[in-house]
Amino acid sequence: MRILIVEDEREILTLLGEQLDGAGFDSDGARSLLEATRALEASDYDLVLLDRRLPDGDGLHFIPKIRELRPQARVIMLTARDAPYDKV
């Protein structure tokens, strides 16, 4: 399974990548929506781990772009937000 991690915090991105790679997954990282768009255009991903707050926009609003470029990819949102509305 190939996974794209979209996370602007370098430490979190590194930790997630190491854990996923160690578990046998193939992961790539992107630190912005622009980098994520380029990665999605270049490679096929089964899963996108998507941060909510990124330097160039809200990950939630990026989901239609993911669907456009890789309709089969699943998305899991990563967020530090704690309000029930934001988590659901």
Side-chain angles (χ1 to χ4, degrees):
M1 175 182 278
R2 190 168 179 132
I3 301 171
L4 177 62
I5 307 164
V6 185
E7 169 61 61
D8 62 321
E9 297 281 339
R10 187 178 309 274
E11 298 83 17
I12 295 172
L13 178 61
T14 300
L15 179 64
L16 286 170
E18 289 172 353
Q19 293 295 314
L20 290 168
D21 293 345
F25 297 100
D26 183 18
S27 69
D28 296 317
R31 296 189 63 213
S32 67
L33 297 177
L34 178 61
E35 286 182 20
T37 299
R38 290 178 179 156
L40 289 164
E41 290 172 340
S43 299
D44 195 20
Y45 291 96
D46 302 296
L47 175 66
V48 178
L49 293 179
L50 181 61
D51 188 12
R52 182 76 195 267
R53 291 182 181 167
L54 293 157
D56 54 348
D58 184 338
L60 188 63
H61 300 295
F62 187 64
I63 293 174
K65 186 67 172 179
I66 296 170
R67 293 286 175 249
E68 173 190 326
L69 294 171
R70 300 290 172 199
Q72 80 291 349
R74 302 295 182 246
V75 178
I76 296 177
M77 295 294 299
L78 303 174
T79 182
R81 293 181 173 193
D82 60 356
Y85 174 81
D86 292 322
K87 291 193 267 184
V88 177

